[in-house]
Amino acid sequence: MISSERYITILVQFVSTQLEGRPRIKWFMQDGARPHRTEKVFHFLDEYLGNRVVALDYPKFTGTGMDWPPYSPDLTPCDYFLWGALKDIVYGNHPSTLDELESAICVACNSISAQTVKDVM
């Protein structure tokens, strides 16, 4: 289980790579998991991302951003495309060891073309 403190550590690493030079984050979206909705997490997100956050209860806490839309499981391309596509490719070869699984994941990720990613977005 992840704590809000561990989640903030992950966010610090992510944000530091995304904000170098020029901001590349248009919107940051997180689900409503309890560790994602603490006061510390919302303060961190508000400080670094301001109104570019989509998160459950975020606008109530900060007055900015966008509330997580109810019943919207299809908000991200990862949910409606990527995980299924990768699963089909990875498990199509029936990996039997961790090394084979890791290799299959790398091959699957590299097999998705830039054009496919653009089309999905």
Side-chain angles (χ1 to χ4, degrees), residues 6-29:
R6 176 69 181 128
Y7 184 58
I8 289 173
T9 301
I10 293 167
L11 287 173
V12 167
Q13 293 169 349
F14 171 75
V15 167
S16 69
T17 63
Q18 295 298 307
L19 296 180
E20 292 172 354
R22 65 176 179 85
R24 295 185 298 176
I25 300 171
K26 300 288 186 207
W27 284 95
F28 179 81
M29 183 169 53

Short mmCIF file of all heavy atoms in Angstrom, two decimals, residues 6-29:
data_model
loop_
_atom_site.label_atom_id
_atom_site.label_comp_id
_atom_site.label_asym_id
_atom_site.label_seq_id
_atom_site.Cartn_x
_atom_site.Cartn_y
_atom_site.Cartn_z
N ARG A 6 4.89 8.61 0.55
CA ARG A 6 5.55 7.92 -0.57
C ARG A 6 5.06 8.49 -1.90
O ARG A 6 5.82 8.66 -2.83
CB ARG A 6 5.28 6.41 -0.48
CG ARG A 6 5.84 5.62 -1.63
CD ARG A 6 7.37 5.58 -1.60
NE ARG A 6 7.84 4.83 -2.73
CZ ARG A 6 8.76 5.27 -3.58
NH1 ARG A 6 9.36 6.41 -3.38
NH2 ARG A 6 9.11 4.55 -4.61
N TYR A 7 3.78 8.79 -1.97
CA TYR A 7 3.22 9.36 -3.19
C TYR A 7 3.85 10.72 -3.49
O TYR A 7 4.19 11.01 -4.64
CB TYR A 7 1.70 9.47 -3.06
CG TYR A 7 1.02 9.96 -4.32
CD1 TYR A 7 1.16 9.27 -5.52
CD2 TYR A 7 0.24 11.10 -4.31
CE1 TYR A 7 0.54 9.72 -6.67
CE2 TYR A 7 -0.39 11.55 -5.45
CZ TYR A 7 -0.23 10.86 -6.63
OH TYR A 7 -0.84 11.31 -7.77
N ILE A 8 4.06 11.53 -2.48
CA ILE A 8 4.72 12.82 -2.68
C ILE A 8 6.15 12.62 -3.17
O ILE A 8 6.61 13.35 -4.05
CB ILE A 8 4.66 13.68 -1.40
CG1 ILE A 8 3.23 14.15 -1.15
CG2 ILE A 8 5.61 14.88 -1.49
CD1 ILE A 8 3.01 14.86 0.16
N THR A 9 6.86 11.64 -2.65
CA THR A 9 8.21 11.33 -3.13
C THR A 9 8.18 11.00 -4.62
O THR A 9 9.03 11.47 -5.39
CB THR A 9 8.81 10.14 -2.35
OG1 THR A 9 8.84 10.48 -0.96
CG2 THR A 9 10.21 9.80 -2.83
N ILE A 10 7.21 10.21 -5.04
CA ILE A 10 7.05 9.88 -6.46
C ILE A 10 6.74 11.13 -7.27
O ILE A 10 7.30 11.36 -8.34
CB ILE A 10 5.96 8.81 -6.64
CG1 ILE A 10 6.41 7.49 -6.02
CG2 ILE A 10 5.60 8.63 -8.11
CD1 ILE A 10 5.30 6.46 -5.85
N LEU A 11 5.85 11.98 -6.75
CA LEU A 11 5.51 13.22 -7.43
C LEU A 11 6.71 14.14 -7.59
O LEU A 11 6.89 14.76 -8.63
CB LEU A 11 4.38 13.95 -6.69
CG LEU A 11 2.99 13.35 -6.78
CD1 LEU A 11 2.03 14.10 -5.86
CD2 LEU A 11 2.48 13.37 -8.21
N VAL A 12 7.53 14.23 -6.55
CA VAL A 12 8.73 15.07 -6.62
C VAL A 12 9.63 14.61 -7.76
O VAL A 12 10.11 15.42 -8.56
CB VAL A 12 9.49 15.07 -5.27
CG1 VAL A 12 10.87 15.67 -5.42
CG2 VAL A 12 8.70 15.79 -4.21
N GLN A 13 9.83 13.30 -7.86
CA GLN A 13 10.67 12.77 -8.93
C GLN A 13 10.05 13.06 -10.30
O GLN A 13 10.74 13.47 -11.23
CB GLN A 13 10.88 11.27 -8.75
CG GLN A 13 11.69 10.93 -7.53
CD GLN A 13 11.67 9.45 -7.20
OE1 GLN A 13 10.90 8.67 -7.75
NE2 GLN A 13 12.53 9.06 -6.28
N PHE A 14 8.75 12.86 -10.42
CA PHE A 14 8.06 13.08 -11.68
C PHE A 14 8.08 14.55 -12.07
O PHE A 14 8.45 14.90 -13.19
CB PHE A 14 6.61 12.58 -11.59
CG PHE A 14 5.77 12.97 -12.76
CD1 PHE A 14 5.91 12.31 -13.97
CD2 PHE A 14 4.84 14.00 -12.66
CE1 PHE A 14 5.14 12.66 -15.06
CE2 PHE A 14 4.06 14.36 -13.75
CZ PHE A 14 4.22 13.69 -14.94
N VAL A 15 7.70 15.40 -11.16
CA VAL A 15 7.62 16.83 -11.45
C VAL A 15 8.99 17.40 -11.78
O VAL A 15 9.13 18.22 -12.69
CB VAL A 15 6.95 17.59 -10.28
CG1 VAL A 15 7.13 19.09 -10.42
CG2 VAL A 15 5.47 17.24 -10.21
N SER A 16 10.03 16.96 -11.09
CA SER A 16 11.36 17.49 -11.36
C SER A 16 11.80 17.18 -12.78
O SER A 16 12.47 17.99 -13.42
CB SER A 16 12.38 16.96 -10.35
OG SER A 16 12.60 15.58 -10.54
N THR A 17 11.39 16.03 -13.33
CA THR A 17 11.76 15.71 -14.71
C THR A 17 10.89 16.43 -15.71
O THR A 17 11.31 16.69 -16.83
CB THR A 17 11.67 14.19 -14.98
OG1 THR A 17 10.31 13.77 -14.83
CG2 THR A 17 12.57 13.41 -14.06
N GLN A 18 9.67 16.78 -15.33
CA GLN A 18 8.74 17.42 -16.25
C GLN A 18 8.87 18.93 -16.31
O GLN A 18 8.46 19.54 -17.28
CB GLN A 18 7.30 17.06 -15.87
CG GLN A 18 6.98 15.60 -16.02
CD GLN A 18 7.12 15.11 -17.44
OE1 GLN A 18 6.56 15.67 -18.36
NE2 GLN A 18 7.92 14.07 -17.62
N LEU A 19 9.41 19.54 -15.29
CA LEU A 19 9.47 21.00 -15.24
C LEU A 19 10.84 21.56 -15.58
O LEU A 19 11.02 22.77 -15.57
CB LEU A 19 9.02 21.50 -13.86
CG LEU A 19 7.57 21.21 -13.50
CD1 LEU A 19 7.26 21.75 -12.11
CD2 LEU A 19 6.61 21.78 -14.52
N GLU A 20 11.80 20.70 -15.91
CA GLU A 20 13.12 21.19 -16.30
C GLU A 20 12.99 21.96 -17.61
O GLU A 20 12.36 21.51 -18.56
CB GLU A 20 14.09 20.03 -16.49
CG GLU A 20 14.42 19.32 -15.20
CD GLU A 20 15.24 18.05 -15.42
OE1 GLU A 20 15.45 17.65 -16.58
OE2 GLU A 20 15.63 17.46 -14.42
N GLY A 21 13.58 23.11 -17.69
CA GLY A 21 13.52 23.92 -18.90
C GLY A 21 12.16 24.57 -19.05
O GLY A 21 11.92 25.65 -18.54
N ARG A 22 11.27 23.92 -19.73
CA ARG A 22 9.91 24.45 -19.92
C ARG A 22 8.89 23.41 -19.46
O ARG A 22 9.10 22.22 -19.60
CB ARG A 22 9.67 24.81 -21.37
CG ARG A 22 9.69 23.62 -22.29
CD ARG A 22 9.34 24.06 -23.73
NE ARG A 22 9.39 22.93 -24.63
CZ ARG A 22 8.38 22.09 -24.82
NH1 ARG A 22 7.25 22.24 -24.21
NH2 ARG A 22 8.50 21.07 -25.66
N PRO A 23 7.80 23.86 -18.92
CA PRO A 23 6.77 22.91 -18.47
C PRO A 23 6.20 22.11 -19.64
O PRO A 23 5.82 22.68 -20.66
CB PRO A 23 5.69 23.80 -17.85
CG PRO A 23 6.34 25.11 -17.61
CD PRO A 23 7.44 25.22 -18.61
N ARG A 24 6.22 20.79 -19.50
CA ARG A 24 5.64 19.93 -20.53
C ARG A 24 4.29 19.39 -20.11
O ARG A 24 3.60 18.77 -20.89
CB ARG A 24 6.58 18.76 -20.83
CG ARG A 24 7.90 19.22 -21.42
CD ARG A 24 8.75 18.06 -21.81
NE ARG A 24 9.09 17.26 -20.63
CZ ARG A 24 9.77 16.14 -20.69
NH1 ARG A 24 10.17 15.65 -21.82
NH2 ARG A 24 10.05 15.47 -19.59
N ILE A 25 3.90 19.62 -18.88
CA ILE A 25 2.64 19.09 -18.38
C ILE A 25 1.52 20.05 -18.73
O ILE A 25 1.52 21.19 -18.28
CB ILE A 25 2.69 18.88 -16.85
CG1 ILE A 25 3.80 17.92 -16.48
CG2 ILE A 25 1.34 18.39 -16.34
CD1 ILE A 25 4.03 17.84 -14.96
N LYS A 26 0.59 19.61 -19.55
CA LYS A 26 -0.59 20.43 -19.84
C LYS A 26 -1.60 20.25 -18.72
O LYS A 26 -2.13 21.21 -18.20
CB LYS A 26 -1.22 20.01 -21.16
CG LYS A 26 -0.30 20.15 -22.35
CD LYS A 26 -0.09 21.59 -22.70
CE LYS A 26 0.72 21.66 -23.98
NZ LYS A 26 1.48 22.83 -24.12
N TRP A 27 -1.88 19.00 -18.36
CA TRP A 27 -2.79 18.66 -17.27
C TRP A 27 -2.19 17.49 -16.52
O TRP A 27 -1.61 16.58 -17.12
CB TRP A 27 -4.17 18.24 -17.80
CG TRP A 27 -4.98 19.39 -18.26
CD1 TRP A 27 -5.08 19.87 -19.54
CD2 TRP A 27 -5.82 20.22 -17.46
NE1 TRP A 27 -5.92 20.94 -19.58
CE2 TRP A 27 -6.39 21.17 -18.31
CE3 TRP A 27 -6.14 20.25 -16.11
CZ2 TRP A 27 -7.27 22.14 -17.86
CZ3 TRP A 27 -7.02 21.21 -15.65
CH2 TRP A 27 -7.57 22.15 -16.53
N PHE A 28 -2.35 17.48 -15.23
CA PHE A 28 -1.95 16.34 -14.40
C PHE A 28 -3.23 15.75 -13.83
O PHE A 28 -4.04 16.45 -13.25
CB PHE A 28 -1.02 16.78 -13.27
CG PHE A 28 -0.61 15.64 -12.39
CD1 PHE A 28 0.41 14.79 -12.77
CD2 PHE A 28 -1.27 15.41 -11.19
CE1 PHE A 28 0.78 13.73 -11.96
CE2 PHE A 28 -0.91 14.35 -10.38
CZ PHE A 28 0.12 13.51 -10.77
N MET A 29 -3.40 14.45 -14.03
CA MET A 29 -4.63 13.80 -13.59
C MET A 29 -4.29 12.65 -12.65
O MET A 29 -3.38 11.87 -12.92
CB MET A 29 -5.38 13.27 -14.81
CG MET A 29 -6.69 12.64 -14.48
SD MET A 29 -7.69 12.29 -15.95
CE MET A 29 -6.60 11.35 -16.94
#
